[in-house]
Every structure is written in C-alpha cells, then in structure tokens.
Amino acid sequence: MRRMALLAVMAPLLVACATTQAVPRSTSCEEGRLWACNEWGEQLLQDGDRSQAEAAFARACDGGSERGCLALGRLRMADGNLAAAEAPLVAVYETDSEEGALALADLYEARGGDAHAREAARLRWEAPALDKPPFDFAMQYRVGAWRPSAALELNIQPMAFLSRRLSIGSNLAYTSRGISEFNGFVGYQHYVNTWVVPYGRLMMGTATSDSRSPGFNVGAEVGTRLALSYLGHVNVGVGMSRASGNYLSVGVGLNGLFVLLALLHVR
C-alpha cells in the first residue's frame, strides 16, 4: 500500500518534471539557442516527429551550427530528399570537417552515376587530411650512434599538395658543439585514418664541420605521426644521414600559425 501511495504521489511529479524539461528546450530553440535546437531535434526524432525535427535542425543550421547542418543533411538523406540534403552537408564540409566530407560522399554515392562516384571518391580521399595545419614547426630529439642531437623543422603541407600527401620543408640539426646539418626535404605521407599518418622523406643539404662527415649531406627518414587535428602532431621515426649517421627521433609539431602568433605576441 505504501508503494502504491508513493507511486501515486511521484507519478504527477515525474510527468511535470519531464514537461518542464521539454518545454524550455523548445522555447530556447525559438529564442535562438542553437544547442537547444539540436537537442530538441534529437528528442523529436525519438518521438517520431520527423518534420518538426527537420525544422529544429534547420534552425540550428541556419544559425551556423555544424552539428545541426550535419543532422539536417542526414535526416533529409534518410527521407530520400537528396537535393535538399546537399546544401547543409556542403556547409559542414566547408568547415574542414572529416565527418561532413564523408556524409557528402555518401550523398553523391546515393545519387549514382560515374561523375558522382568520382566526386565521392575525391571527398573520401580528402576527408582525413582536412583538419590539419597547412604548415607546422616541429622539434625533434635524435638519439644516434654518433652523438645525441636535436632538430628544428618547417613542414609545408597544403591541400594543394595531393590533399596533404606531399610535403616539402627544411630542417636544421644541431649538437652540443653547434649546427651539424641543414637540409631541404621532400616527403610523402599516407593517412591510415585521421590520426595515424606514416611518412617518409628524402633530405639533401650541407653538413658542417661539427658533423660526422662535413660537406654535402644526404639522408632519409621514415616514421609515423599521431595527428592532433589543427593543433599539430607528435611523431617517432628512424633515419640516417651522412652528417649524423643512423638515429631514432621523437618529436612534436605545432600548427605554424599558432607559433607565428605566439612570436608576434612576445614581440
């Protein structure tokens, strides 16, 4: 009896609580709060009200919400409205979103045809490289048979270079005695996924009197980066050069724009 009485008291309170949680969410959406529109749209989808959910996501997307545009595009795709799904998915893709690129690729594949298949393949090729910096500065610590050294590196990898697969740059290695080598390099990297990026590069430059073999320098390095979106990367690699011999390297790289802004701020 006590349990029945407790349920009788609690039931109206639970209903009231659910109502008070639901109403502010829709009201907040109408007031222009984008997070509320997205949450309201998801709740409406769970309730089976797809038309109102689309309206909520559309409001969020119009306000600039990447999450809202992605949800809107996918909802329209699921409903078979491929033409209307394109604009919100393009908007997400243009923010350098891997998820947006893949969703847009799904849309083009659903349309069918050779042209759309080629466009979908291009998007899937681009997707893991989109949210990476066009150039970065890195510092490496090298452990080798000759002597430990460090290296400073500039790596340039714009989307124009085969969607960041190709890179060019320069590095400068130095020991406790001074600069040992200065090189230019060209490299290739493969995106296993958005995080794991194996790479290889060929180096060519000069070796100073503080190196193992002064004069002309040539070398190579292979390794793997853990890409950290726009922030930068960490990497491990093995390499060899005429100036430094064989070495194992561990490094960290930062988005070049962040480094330049920091330097300007210090000045």
Side-chain angles (χ1 to χ4, degrees), residues 94-155:
E94 290 178 346
T95 66
D96 290 342
S97 165
E98 179 185 15
E99 195 172 10
L102 294 175
L104 192 58
D106 290 341
L107 170 65
Y108 289 137
E109 285 182 346
R111 284 182 172 175
D114 291 342
H116 288 142
R118 287 192 296 270
E119 186 66 8
R122 180 188 67 81
L123 289 166
R124 295 191 189 284
W125 167 261
E126 285 186 357
L130 284 172
D131 62 342
K132 309 299 184 293
F135 70 102
D136 58 45
F137 293 100
M139 184 167 185
Q140 293 182 336
Y141 180 70
R142 295 178 175 180
V143 180
W146 187 48
R147 67 170 60 132
S149 61
L152 297 175
E153 175 181 301
L154 167 64
N155 182 58

CSV table of all heavy atoms in Angstrom, one decimal, residues 94-155:
chain,number,residue,atom,x,y,z
A,94,GLU,N,32.7,22.4,-45.8
A,94,GLU,CA,33.5,23.7,-45.9
A,94,GLU,C,34.1,24.1,-44.6
A,94,GLU,O,34.9,25.1,-44.6
A,94,GLU,CB,32.6,24.8,-46.5
A,94,GLU,CG,32.3,24.5,-48.0
A,94,GLU,CD,31.4,25.5,-48.6
A,94,GLU,OE1,30.8,26.3,-47.9
A,94,GLU,OE2,31.3,25.5,-49.9
A,95,THR,N,33.7,23.6,-43.5
A,95,THR,CA,34.4,23.9,-42.2
A,95,THR,C,35.6,22.9,-42.0
A,95,THR,O,36.2,22.9,-40.9
A,95,THR,CB,33.4,23.7,-41.0
A,95,THR,OG1,33.0,22.4,-40.9
A,95,THR,CG2,32.2,24.6,-41.2
A,96,ASP,N,36.0,22.2,-43.0
A,96,ASP,CA,37.1,21.2,-43.0
A,96,ASP,C,36.8,20.1,-42.0
A,96,ASP,O,37.7,19.6,-41.3
A,96,ASP,CB,38.4,21.9,-42.5
A,96,ASP,CG,39.0,22.8,-43.6
A,96,ASP,OD1,38.6,22.7,-44.7
A,96,ASP,OD2,39.8,23.7,-43.2
A,97,SER,N,35.5,19.6,-42.1
A,97,SER,CA,35.1,18.6,-41.2
A,97,SER,C,35.2,17.2,-42.0
A,97,SER,O,34.7,17.1,-43.1
A,97,SER,CB,33.6,18.8,-40.8
A,97,SER,OG,33.1,17.6,-40.3
A,98,GLU,N,35.9,16.3,-41.4
A,98,GLU,CA,36.0,15.0,-42.0
A,98,GLU,C,34.7,14.3,-42.0
A,98,GLU,O,34.3,13.7,-43.0
A,98,GLU,CB,37.0,14.1,-41.2
A,98,GLU,CG,37.1,12.7,-41.7
A,98,GLU,CD,37.9,11.8,-40.9
A,98,GLU,OE1,38.2,12.1,-39.7
A,98,GLU,OE2,38.3,10.7,-41.4
A,99,GLU,N,33.9,14.4,-41.0
A,99,GLU,CA,32.6,13.8,-40.9
A,99,GLU,C,31.7,14.4,-42.0
A,99,GLU,O,30.9,13.7,-42.6
A,99,GLU,CB,32.0,14.1,-39.5
A,99,GLU,CG,30.8,13.2,-39.2
A,99,GLU,CD,30.3,13.3,-37.8
A,99,GLU,OE1,30.8,14.2,-37.1
A,99,GLU,OE2,29.4,12.5,-37.4
A,100,GLY,N,31.8,15.7,-42.2
A,100,GLY,CA,31.0,16.4,-43.3
A,100,GLY,C,31.4,15.9,-44.6
A,100,GLY,O,30.5,15.7,-45.5
A,101,ALA,N,32.7,15.7,-44.9
A,101,ALA,CA,33.1,15.2,-46.2
A,101,ALA,C,32.6,13.8,-46.4
A,101,ALA,O,32.2,13.5,-47.5
A,101,ALA,CB,34.7,15.2,-46.2
A,102,LEU,N,32.7,12.9,-45.4
A,102,LEU,CA,32.2,11.6,-45.6
A,102,LEU,C,30.7,11.5,-45.8
A,102,LEU,O,30.2,10.7,-46.6
A,102,LEU,CB,32.6,10.7,-44.4
A,102,LEU,CG,34.1,10.5,-44.2
A,102,LEU,CD1,34.4,9.8,-42.9
A,102,LEU,CD2,34.7,9.8,-45.4
A,103,ALA,N,29.9,12.3,-45.1
A,103,ALA,CA,28.5,12.4,-45.3
A,103,ALA,C,28.1,12.9,-46.7
A,103,ALA,O,27.2,12.3,-47.3
A,103,ALA,CB,27.8,13.3,-44.2
A,104,LEU,N,28.9,13.9,-47.2
A,104,LEU,CA,28.6,14.4,-48.5
A,104,LEU,C,29.0,13.3,-49.6
A,104,LEU,O,28.3,13.2,-50.6
A,104,LEU,CB,29.5,15.6,-48.7
A,104,LEU,CG,29.1,16.5,-50.0
A,104,LEU,CD1,27.7,16.9,-50.0
A,104,LEU,CD2,30.1,17.7,-50.0
A,105,ALA,N,30.1,12.5,-49.3
A,105,ALA,CA,30.4,11.4,-50.2
A,105,ALA,C,29.3,10.4,-50.2
A,105,ALA,O,29.0,9.9,-51.3
A,105,ALA,CB,31.7,10.8,-49.7
A,106,ASP,N,28.7,10.1,-49.1
A,106,ASP,CA,27.6,9.2,-49.1
A,106,ASP,C,26.4,9.7,-49.9
A,106,ASP,O,25.7,8.9,-50.6
A,106,ASP,CB,27.1,9.0,-47.6
A,106,ASP,CG,28.0,8.2,-46.8
A,106,ASP,OD1,28.9,7.5,-47.4
A,106,ASP,OD2,28.0,8.3,-45.5
A,107,LEU,N,26.2,11.0,-49.9
A,107,LEU,CA,25.1,11.6,-50.7
A,107,LEU,C,25.4,11.4,-52.1
A,107,LEU,O,24.5,11.0,-52.9
A,107,LEU,CB,25.0,13.1,-50.3
A,107,LEU,CG,24.1,13.9,-51.2
A,107,LEU,CD1,22.7,13.5,-51.1
A,107,LEU,CD2,24.2,15.4,-50.9
A,108,TYR,N,26.6,11.7,-52.6
A,108,TYR,CA,26.9,11.6,-54.0
A,108,TYR,C,26.8,10.1,-54.5
A,108,TYR,O,26.4,9.9,-55.6
A,108,TYR,CB,28.3,12.2,-54.3
A,108,TYR,CG,28.3,13.7,-54.2
A,108,TYR,CD1,29.4,14.3,-53.6
A,108,TYR,CD2,27.3,14.5,-54.7
A,108,TYR,CE1,29.4,15.7,-53.5
A,108,TYR,CE2,27.3,15.8,-54.7
A,108,TYR,CZ,28.4,16.5,-54.0
A,108,TYR,OH,28.4,17.8,-53.9
A,109,GLU,N,27.2,9.2,-53.6
A,109,GLU,CA,27.1,7.8,-54.0
A,109,GLU,C,25.7,7.4,-54.1
A,109,GLU,O,25.3,6.6,-55.0
A,109,GLU,CB,27.8,6.9,-53.0
A,109,GLU,CG,29.3,7.0,-53.1
A,109,GLU,CD,30.0,6.1,-52.1
A,109,GLU,OE1,29.4,5.7,-51.1
A,109,GLU,OE2,31.2,5.9,-52.2
A,110,ALA,N,24.8,7.9,-53.3
A,110,ALA,CA,23.4,7.6,-53.3
A,110,ALA,C,22.8,8.1,-54.6
A,110,ALA,O,21.8,7.5,-55.1
A,110,ALA,CB,22.7,8.2,-52.1
A,111,ARG,N,23.3,9.2,-55.1
A,111,ARG,CA,22.7,9.8,-56.4
A,111,ARG,C,23.1,8.9,-57.6
A,111,ARG,O,22.4,8.8,-58.6
A,111,ARG,CB,23.3,11.2,-56.6
A,111,ARG,CG,22.7,12.2,-55.8
A,111,ARG,CD,23.2,13.6,-56.1
A,111,ARG,NE,22.5,14.7,-55.4
A,111,ARG,CZ,22.9,15.9,-55.4
A,111,ARG,NH1,24.0,16.3,-56.1
A,111,ARG,NH2,22.2,16.8,-54.8
A,112,GLY,N,24.2,8.2,-57.5
A,112,GLY,CA,24.6,7.3,-58.6
A,112,GLY,C,25.2,8.0,-59.8
A,112,GLY,O,25.2,9.2,-59.8
A,113,GLY,N,25.8,7.2,-60.6
A,113,GLY,CA,26.5,7.8,-61.8
A,113,GLY,C,28.0,7.9,-61.7
A,113,GLY,O,28.5,8.1,-60.5
A,114,ASP,N,28.7,7.9,-62.8
A,114,ASP,CA,30.1,8.0,-62.7
A,114,ASP,C,30.7,9.3,-62.2
A,114,ASP,O,31.6,9.3,-61.4
A,114,ASP,CB,30.7,7.8,-64.2
A,114,ASP,CG,30.5,6.4,-64.7
A,114,ASP,OD1,30.2,5.5,-63.8
A,114,ASP,OD2,30.5,6.2,-65.9
A,115,ALA,N,30.0,10.4,-62.6
A,115,ALA,CA,30.5,11.7,-62.1
A,115,ALA,C,30.4,11.8,-60.6
A,115,ALA,O,31.3,12.3,-59.9
A,115,ALA,CB,29.7,12.8,-62.8
A,116,HIS,N,29.2,11.4,-60.0
A,116,HIS,CA,29.0,11.4,-58.6
A,116,HIS,C,29.9,10.4,-57.9
A,116,HIS,O,30.4,10.7,-56.8
A,116,HIS,CB,27.6,11.1,-58.3
A,116,HIS,CG,26.6,12.2,-58.6
A,116,HIS,ND1,25.4,12.0,-59.2
A,116,HIS,CD2,26.8,13.6,-58.6
A,116,HIS,CE1,24.8,13.1,-59.4
A,116,HIS,NE2,25.6,14.1,-59.1
A,117,ALA,N,30.2,9.3,-58.5
A,117,ALA,CA,31.1,8.3,-57.9
A,117,ALA,C,32.6,8.9,-57.8
A,117,ALA,O,33.2,8.7,-56.8
A,117,ALA,CB,31.2,7.0,-58.7
A,118,ARG,N,33.0,9.6,-58.8
A,118,ARG,CA,34.3,10.2,-58.8
A,118,ARG,C,34.4,11.3,-57.7
A,118,ARG,O,35.4,11.5,-57.0
A,118,ARG,CB,34.7,10.8,-60.2
A,118,ARG,CG,35.0,9.8,-61.2
A,118,ARG,CD,35.6,10.4,-62.4
A,118,ARG,NE,34.7,11.3,-63.1
A,118,ARG,CZ,33.8,10.9,-64.1
A,118,ARG,NH1,33.8,9.7,-64.5
A,118,ARG,NH2,33.0,11.8,-64.6
A,119,GLU,N,33.3,12.1,-57.6
A,119,GLU,CA,33.3,13.1,-56.6
A,119,GLU,C,33.3,12.5,-55.2
A,119,GLU,O,33.9,13.0,-54.3
A,119,GLU,CB,32.0,14.0,-56.8
A,119,GLU,CG,31.9,15.2,-55.8
A,119,GLU,CD,33.0,16.3,-56.1
A,119,GLU,OE1,33.8,16.1,-57.1
A,119,GLU,OE2,33.2,17.2,-55.3
A,120,ALA,N,32.6,11.4,-55.0
A,120,ALA,CA,32.5,10.8,-53.7
A,120,ALA,C,33.9,10.2,-53.3
A,120,ALA,O,34.4,10.3,-52.2
A,120,ALA,CB,31.5,9.6,-53.7
A,121,ALA,N,34.6,9.7,-54.3
A,121,ALA,CA,36.0,9.2,-54.1
A,121,ALA,C,36.9,10.3,-53.7
A,121,ALA,O,37.8,10.1,-52.9
A,121,ALA,CB,36.5,8.4,-55.3
A,122,ARG,N,36.8,11.4,-54.4
A,122,ARG,CA,37.7,12.6,-54.0
A,122,ARG,C,37.4,13.0,-52.6
A,122,ARG,O,38.4,13.3,-51.9
A,122,ARG,CB,37.4,13.7,-55.0
A,122,ARG,CG,38.2,15.0,-54.8
A,122,ARG,CD,37.7,16.2,-55.6
A,122,ARG,NE,36.4,16.6,-55.2
A,122,ARG,CZ,36.2,17.4,-54.1
A,122,ARG,NH1,37.2,17.8,-53.4
A,122,ARG,NH2,35.0,17.8,-53.9
A,123,LEU,N,36.2,13.1,-52.2
A,123,LEU,CA,35.9,13.5,-50.8
A,123,LEU,C,36.4,12.5,-49.8
A,123,LEU,O,36.9,12.9,-48.8
A,123,LEU,CB,34.4,13.6,-50.7
A,123,LEU,CG,33.7,14.8,-51.4
A,123,LEU,CD1,32.2,14.7,-51.4
A,123,LEU,CD2,34.1,16.1,-50.7
A,124,ARG,N,36.3,11.2,-50.1
A,124,ARG,CA,36.9,10.3,-49.1
A,124,ARG,C,38.4,10.3,-49.1
A,124,ARG,O,39.0,10.1,-48.0
A,124,ARG,CB,36.4,8.8,-49.5
A,124,ARG,CG,34.9,8.6,-49.4
A,124,ARG,CD,34.5,7.2,-49.6
A,124,ARG,NE,33.1,7.0,-49.7
A,124,ARG,CZ,32.3,7.1,-48.7
A,124,ARG,NH1,32.7,7.4,-47.5
A,124,ARG,NH2,31.0,7.0,-48.9
A,125,TRP,N,39.0,10.7,-50.2
A,125,TRP,CA,40.5,10.9,-50.2
A,125,TRP,C,40.9,12.1,-49.4
A,125,TRP,O,41.9,12.1,-48.7
A,125,TRP,CB,40.9,11.0,-51.7
A,125,TRP,CG,42.3,11.5,-51.9
A,125,TRP,CD1,42.7,12.8,-52.2
A,125,TRP,CD2,43.5,10.7,-51.9
A,125,TRP,NE1,44.0,12.9,-52.4
A,125,TRP,CE2,44.6,11.6,-52.2
A,125,TRP,CE3,43.8,9.4,-51.7
A,125,TRP,CZ2,45.9,11.2,-52.3
A,125,TRP,CZ3,45.1,9.0,-51.7
A,125,TRP,CH2,46.1,9.8,-52.1
A,126,GLU,N,40.1,13.2,-49.5
A,126,GLU,CA,40.4,14.4,-48.8
A,126,GLU,C,40.1,14.3,-47.3
A,126,GLU,O,40.8,14.9,-46.5
A,126,GLU,CB,39.6,15.6,-49.3
A,126,GLU,CG,40.0,16.1,-50.7
A,126,GLU,CD,39.2,17.3,-51.0
A,126,GLU,OE1,38.3,17.7,-50.3
A,126,GLU,OE2,39.5,18.0,-52.1
A,127,ALA,N,39.1,13.6,-46.9
A,127,ALA,CA,38.5,13.6,-45.6
A,127,ALA,C,39.5,13.6,-44.4
A,127,ALA,O,39.5,14.5,-43.6
A,127,ALA,CB,37.4,12.5,-45.4
A,128,PRO,N,40.4,12.6,-44.3
A,128,PRO,CA,41.3,12.6,-43.2
A,128,PRO,C,42.3,13.7,-43.1
A,128,PRO,O,42.9,13.9,-42.0
A,128,PRO,CB,41.9,11.2,-43.3
A,128,PRO,CG,41.9,10.9,-44.7
A,128,PRO,CD,40.7,11.5,-45.3
A,129,ALA,N,42.5,14.4,-44.2
A,129,ALA,CA,43.5,15.4,-44.2
A,129,ALA,C,43.0,16.8,-44.0
A,129,ALA,O,43.7,17.8,-43.9
A,129,ALA,CB,44.3,15.4,-45.5
A,130,LEU,N,41.7,17.0,-43.9
A,130,LEU,CA,41.0,18.3,-44.0
A,130,LEU,C,41.4,19.1,-42.8
A,130,LEU,O,41.7,20.3,-42.9
A,130,LEU,CB,39.5,18.1,-44.1
A,130,LEU,CG,39.0,17.8,-45.4
A,130,LEU,CD1,37.5,17.5,-45.3
A,130,LEU,CD2,39.2,18.9,-46.4
A,131,ASP,N,41.3,18.6,-41.6
A,131,ASP,CA,41.5,19.4,-40.4
A,131,ASP,C,42.9,19.4,-39.9
A,131,ASP,O,43.2,19.3,-38.7
A,131,ASP,CB,40.5,19.0,-39.3
A,131,ASP,CG,40.8,17.5,-38.8
A,131,ASP,OD1,41.5,16.8,-39.6
A,131,ASP,OD2,40.4,17.2,-37.7
A,132,LYS,N,43.9,19.5,-40.8
A,132,LYS,CA,45.3,19.5,-40.4
A,132,LYS,C,45.9,20.9,-40.8
A,132,LYS,O,45.4,21.5,-41.8
A,132,LYS,CB,46.1,18.4,-41.1
A,132,LYS,CG,45.4,17.0,-41.0
A,132,LYS,CD,45.4,16.6,-39.5
A,132,LYS,CE,44.9,15.2,-39.3
A,132,LYS,NZ,43.5,15.0,-39.7
A,133,PRO,N,47.0,21.3,-40.2
A,133,PRO,CA,47.5,22.6,-40.5
A,133,PRO,C,48.3,22.6,-41.8
A,133,PRO,O,48.9,21.6,-42.2
A,133,PRO,CB,48.5,22.9,-39.4
A,133,PRO,CG,48.9,21.5,-38.8
A,133,PRO,CD,47.6,20.7,-39.0
A,134,PRO,N,48.2,23.7,-42.6
A,134,PRO,CA,48.9,23.7,-43.9
A,134,PRO,C,50.4,23.8,-43.7
A,134,PRO,O,51.2,23.4,-44.6
A,134,PRO,CB,48.4,25.0,-44.5
A,134,PRO,CG,47.9,25.9,-43.4
A,134,PRO,CD,47.4,24.9,-42.4
A,135,PHE,N,50.9,24.2,-42.6
A,135,PHE,CA,52.3,24.1,-42.3
A,135,PHE,C,52.5,24.1,-40.8
A,135,PHE,O,51.7,24.5,-40.0
A,135,PHE,CB,53.1,25.3,-42.9
A,135,PHE,CG,52.9,26.6,-42.3
A,135,PHE,CD1,53.8,27.2,-41.4
A,135,PHE,CD2,51.7,27.4,-42.5
A,135,PHE,CE1,53.6,28.4,-40.8
A,135,PHE,CE2,51.5,28.6,-42.0
A,135,PHE,CZ,52.4,29.1,-41.1
A,136,ASP,N,53.6,23.5,-40.3
A,136,ASP,CA,53.9,23.4,-38.9
A,136,ASP,C,55.4,23.5,-38.6
A,136,ASP,O,56.2,23.3,-39.5
A,136,ASP,CB,53.3,22.1,-38.3
A,136,ASP,CG,53.8,20.8,-38.9
A,136,ASP,OD1,55.0,20.7,-39.1
A,136,ASP,OD2,53.0,19.9,-39.2
A,137,PHE,N,55.7,23.8,-37.4
A,137,PHE,CA,57.0,23.8,-36.9
A,137,PHE,C,57.2,22.7,-35.9
A,137,PHE,O,56.3,22.5,-35.1
A,137,PHE,CB,57.4,25.2,-36.2
A,137,PHE,CG,57.4,26.3,-37.2
A,137,PHE,CD1,56.3,27.2,-37.3
A,137,PHE,CD2,58.5,26.6,-38.0
A,137,PHE,CE1,56.3,28.3,-38.1
A,137,PHE,CE2,58.5,27.7,-38.8
A,137,PHE,CZ,57.5,28.5,-38.9
A,138,ALA,N,58.3,22.0,-36.0
A,138,ALA,CA,58.5,20.8,-35.2
A,138,ALA,C,59.9,20.8,-34.6
A,138,ALA,O,60.8,21.4,-35.1
A,138,ALA,CB,58.3,19.5,-36.0
A,139,MET,N,60.0,20.2,-33.4
A,139,MET,CA,61.3,20.0,-32.8
A,139,MET,C,61.4,18.5,-32.5
A,139,MET,O,60.5,17.9,-32.0
A,139,MET,CB,61.4,20.8,-31.5
A,139,MET,CG,62.8,20.7,-30.9
A,139,MET,SD,63.0,21.9,-29.6
A,139,MET,CE,64.8,21.6,-29.2
A,140,GLN,N,62.6,17.9,-32.9
A,140,GLN,CA,62.9,16.5,-32.7
A,140,GLN,C,64.1,16.3,-31.8
A,140,GLN,O,65.0,17.1,-31.8
A,140,GLN,CB,63.1,15.8,-34.0
A,140,GLN,CG,61.9,15.8,-35.0
A,140,GLN,CD,62.3,15.0,-36.2
A,140,GLN,OE1,63.4,15.0,-36.6
A,140,GLN,NE2,61.2,14.5,-36.9
A,141,TYR,N,64.1,15.2,-31.1
A,141,TYR,CA,65.3,14.8,-30.3
A,141,TYR,C,65.7,13.5,-31.0
A,141,TYR,O,65.0,12.6,-31.2
A,141,TYR,CB,65.0,14.6,-28.9
A,141,TYR,CG,66.2,14.1,-28.1
A,141,TYR,CD1,67.2,15.0,-27.8
A,141,TYR,CD2,66.3,12.8,-27.6
A,141,TYR,CE1,68.3,14.6,-27.1
A,141,TYR,CE2,67.4,12.4,-26.9
A,141,TYR,CZ,68.4,13.3,-26.6
A,141,TYR,OH,69.5,12.9,-25.9
A,142,ARG,N,67.0,13.5,-31.4
A,142,ARG,CA,67.6,12.4,-32.1
A,142,ARG,C,68.6,11.6,-31.2
A,142,ARG,O,69.4,12.3,-30.5
A,142,ARG,CB,68.3,12.8,-33.3
A,142,ARG,CG,67.4,13.4,-34.4
A,142,ARG,CD,68.3,13.8,-35.6
A,142,ARG,NE,67.5,14.3,-36.7
A,142,ARG,CZ,68.1,14.8,-37.9
A,142,ARG,NH1,69.4,14.7,-38.0
A,142,ARG,NH2,67.3,15.2,-38.8
A,143,VAL,N,68.5,10.3,-31.1
A,143,VAL,CA,69.4,9.5,-30.5
A,143,VAL,C,70.1,8.6,-31.5
A,143,VAL,O,69.4,7.9,-32.2
A,143,VAL,CB,68.8,8.6,-29.4
A,143,VAL,CG1,69.8,7.7,-28.7
A,143,VAL,CG2,68.0,9.5,-28.4
A,144,GLY,N,71.4,8.8,-31.6
A,144,GLY,CA,72.1,8.0,-32.7
A,144,GLY,C,73.4,7.4,-32.2
A,144,GLY,O,73.8,7.6,-31.0
A,145,ALA,N,74.1,6.7,-33.1
A,145,ALA,CA,75.3,6.0,-32.7
A,145,ALA,C,76.5,7.0,-32.5
A,145,ALA,O,77.4,6.8,-31.8
A,145,ALA,CB,75.7,5.0,-33.8
A,146,TRP,N,76.3,8.2,-33.2
A,146,TRP,CA,77.4,9.2,-33.1
A,146,TRP,C,77.3,10.0,-31.9
A,146,TRP,O,78.1,10.0,-31.0
A,146,TRP,CB,77.4,10.0,-34.4
A,146,TRP,CG,78.6,10.9,-34.5
A,146,TRP,CD1,79.9,10.6,-34.3
A,146,TRP,CD2,78.6,12.3,-34.8
A,146,TRP,NE1,80.7,11.7,-34.4
A,146,TRP,CE2,79.9,12.8,-34.8
A,146,TRP,CE3,77.6,13.2,-35.1
A,146,TRP,CZ2,80.3,14.1,-35.0
A,146,TRP,CZ3,78.0,14.5,-35.4
A,146,TRP,CH2,79.3,15.0,-35.3
A,147,ARG,N,76.3,10.8,-31.8
A,147,ARG,CA,76.0,11.6,-30.6
A,147,ARG,C,74.6,12.1,-30.6
A,147,ARG,O,74.0,12.3,-31.7
A,147,ARG,CB,77.0,12.8,-30.4
A,147,ARG,CG,76.8,13.9,-31.5
A,147,ARG,CD,77.7,15.1,-31.1
A,147,ARG,NE,79.1,14.8,-31.0
A,147,ARG,CZ,80.0,15.5,-31.6
A,147,ARG,NH1,79.7,16.5,-32.4
A,147,ARG,NH2,81.3,15.2,-31.5
A,148,PRO,N,74.0,12.4,-29.5
A,148,PRO,CA,72.6,12.9,-29.4
A,148,PRO,C,72.5,14.3,-30.1
A,148,PRO,O,73.5,15.0,-30.0
A,148,PRO,CB,72.3,13.0,-27.9
A,148,PRO,CG,73.2,12.1,-27.3
A,148,PRO,CD,74.5,12.1,-28.1
A,149,SER,N,71.4,14.5,-30.8
A,149,SER,CA,71.2,15.8,-31.4
A,149,SER,C,69.8,16.2,-31.4
A,149,SER,O,68.9,15.4,-31.1
A,149,SER,CB,71.7,15.8,-32.9
A,149,SER,OG,71.0,14.9,-33.6
A,150,ALA,N,69.5,17.4,-31.7
A,150,ALA,CA,68.1,17.9,-31.8
A,150,ALA,C,68.0,18.5,-33.2
A,150,ALA,O,68.9,18.8,-33.9
A,150,ALA,CB,67.8,19.0,-30.8
A,151,ALA,N,66.7,18.7,-33.7
A,151,ALA,CA,66.5,19.2,-35.0
A,151,ALA,C,65.2,20.1,-34.9
A,151,ALA,O,64.2,19.8,-34.3
A,151,ALA,CB,66.2,18.1,-36.0
A,152,LEU,N,65.3,21.2,-35.6
A,152,LEU,CA,64.2,22.1,-35.8
A,152,LEU,C,63.7,21.9,-37.3
A,152,LEU,O,64.6,21.8,-38.2
A,152,LEU,CB,64.6,23.6,-35.6
A,152,LEU,CG,65.0,23.9,-34.2
A,152,LEU,CD1,65.5,25.4,-34.1
A,152,LEU,CD2,63.9,23.7,-33.2
A,153,GLU,N,62.4,22.0,-37.5
A,153,GLU,CA,61.9,21.6,-38.8
A,153,GLU,C,60.7,22.5,-39.2
A,153,GLU,O,59.9,22.8,-38.3
A,153,GLU,CB,61.4,20.1,-38.7
A,153,GLU,CG,60.7,19.6,-39.9
A,153,GLU,CD,60.3,18.2,-39.8
A,153,GLU,OE1,61.2,17.3,-39.5
A,153,GLU,OE2,59.1,17.9,-39.8
A,154,LEU,N,60.7,22.9,-40.4
A,154,LEU,CA,59.5,23.5,-41.0
A,154,LEU,C,58.9,22.5,-42.0
A,154,LEU,O,59.6,22.1,-43.0
A,154,LEU,CB,59.9,24.8,-41.7
A,154,LEU,CG,58.8,25.4,-42.6
A,154,LEU,CD1,57.6,25.8,-41.8
A,154,LEU,CD2,59.4,26.6,-43.4
A,155,ASN,N,57.7,22.2,-41.9
A,155,ASN,CA,57.0,21.2,-42.8
A,155,ASN,C,55.8,21.9,-43.4
A,155,ASN,O,54.9,22.4,-42.7
A,155,ASN,CB,56.5,20.0,-42.0
A,155,ASN,CG,55.8,19.0,-42.8
A,155,ASN,OD1,56.4,18.5,-43.8
A,155,ASN,ND2,54.6,18.7,-42.5
